[in-house]
Amino acid sequence: LTPERQQEVQLANSALGTMGHAIEPVVRPLGFDWKIGVSIVASFAAREVFVSTMGTIYGVGADDDAALKDRLLAERTKAGTPAYTPLIAVALMVFYVYGLMCMSTIAVTVREAGGGRTGWTWAGISFGYMLVLAYLAAWLVIVVGRAMGFAG
């Protein structure tokens, strides 16, 4: 195996890769692969963690955004098509506009809703509602984009 292929196999079989493959069936209708799925879960800590998680997955240093961009542009699906297209990027941005609050937002929601059971109930409702809204909005972007002939 080439060093790059060996690294890919190791990552796919790591705890992160295993979690990503478990998530993939849920995010695949949005055009996302397991790597994006894992990065979305990791970004629950803070949204900006998404980029650093993708950098970790692709073995790119934290301060090397150009190298990450190049790796993402070079990534291909099993069919040989680009793995990350502008349509997928738009769907991902729409997903983040509507959903997945970070942990600190949930903590503030709990506190502002009075704490205790009531606070956690409102935080759960908010998180669930926003997650469903984000998922549906991103899915709609993918469906409409594909219907209009965009790759994704």
Side-chain angles (χ1 to χ4, degrees):
L1 293 176
T2 66
E4 186 176 283
R5 178 70 181 134
Q6 186 176 5
Q7 179 184 6
E8 186 179 319
V9 169
Q10 287 174 339
L11 179 61
N13 294 314
S14 69
L16 189 66
T18 301
M19 181 173 57
H21 290 294
I23 294 169
E24 189 169 29
V26 175
V27 298
R28 179 55 61 193
L30 305 179
F32 303 163
D33 63 4
W34 69 268
K35 297 169 187 173
I36 291 177
V38 165
S39 298
I40 288 171
V41 171
S43 72
F44 182 62
R47 289 181 180 219
E48 56 273 13
V49 172
F50 179 88
V51 175
S52 61
T53 303
M54 289 294 280
T56 299
I57 289 170
Y58 283 100
V60 175
D63 295 331
D64 200 352
D65 291 338
L68 179 58
K69 177 185 168 193
D70 292 341
R71 291 289 307 268
L72 295 176
L73 287 172
E75 186 74 6
R76 296 286 182 249
T77 65
K78 290 177 182 173
T81 60
Y84 305 113
T85 64
L87 181 59
I88 291 171
V90 170
L92 185 61
M93 287 186 280
V94 167
F95 182 87
Y96 272 106
V97 163
Y98 291 111
L100 269 173
M101 302 176 290
C102 63
M103 287 186 287
S104 61
T105 305
I106 289 191
V108 169
T109 303
V110 170
R111 187 186 74 216
E112 293 297 319
R117 186 175 183 162
T118 302
W120 282 105
T121 299
W122 279 112
I125 290 169
S126 297
F127 181 81
Y129 164 74
M130 293 178 78
L131 180 60
V132 169
L133 179 63
Y135 190 94
L136 292 175
W139 177 78
L140 191 60
V141 165
I142 290 293
V143 168
V144 170
R146 287 177 179 163
M148 294 175 67
F150 294 103

